[in-house]
Amino acid sequence: MLRSAEERCVTISGDDPRVAELHTVVARLRRELASLPFELMDRAIAEDELADLAAMVLGGSPEVPRMRRSLLLIAGAIGSVSALAPAVARVRAAVDRFDEDHPARTRTD
């Protein structure tokens, strides 16, 4: 499989704390999303991307650009549901930890 320079994989060990953190925050966001008392038009997209994030990390070689794409799709699907903003921020922070080895990327917070 050909990869662009931007599509790098992160090698993780079995005891990588980033894996546990991402797994925890993804599970929390999934629970909070499921507990919303109203229906979101794109809930299925958010749920699918959360499942993809979890599977990617547990699979052993997550691609940081793919995790970022999932994060964008999750944020877009959830929209402006302020009740979920803290959980989405935690997922973003957990994804960012996989990219800390490459600080050349410009971050805007």
Side-chain angles (χ1 to χ4, degrees):
M1 169 191 249
L2 294 175
R3 287 196 172 99
S4 71
E6 210 38 49
E7 289 185 45
R8 61 182 182 73
C9 288
V10 176
T11 305
I12 56 176
S13 66
D15 57 348
D16 190 331
R18 299 175 300 177
V19 172
E21 179 188 14
L22 187 58
H23 181 24
T24 299
V25 297
V26 165
R28 174 181 268 171
L29 180 53
R30 289 172 99 174
R31 284 191 307 271
E32 290 182 24
L33 181 60
S35 71
L36 287 177
F38 52 89
E39 189 58 39
L40 290 173
M41 181 181 291
D42 294 327
R43 180 188 298 251
I45 293 169
E47 290 170 345
D48 288 348
E49 291 302 322
L50 285 165
D52 285 351
L53 266 178
M56 214 181 313
V57 173
L58 294 177
S61 294
E63 294 180 12
V64 174
R66 175 65 180 108
M67 289 195 303
R68 292 202 174 287
R69 180 181 178 277
S70 288
L71 183 58
L72 285 172
L73 288 170
I74 291 163
I78 290 173
S80 61
V81 179
S82 60
L84 297 177
V88 172
R90 285 188 293 270
V91 172
R92 178 182 177 213
V95 168
D96 283 347
R97 286 187 203 11
F98 283 90
D99 206 20
E100 287 177 348
D101 295 335
H102 297 13
R105 193 179 148 291
T106 303
R107 289 192 180 113
T108 56
D109 291 325

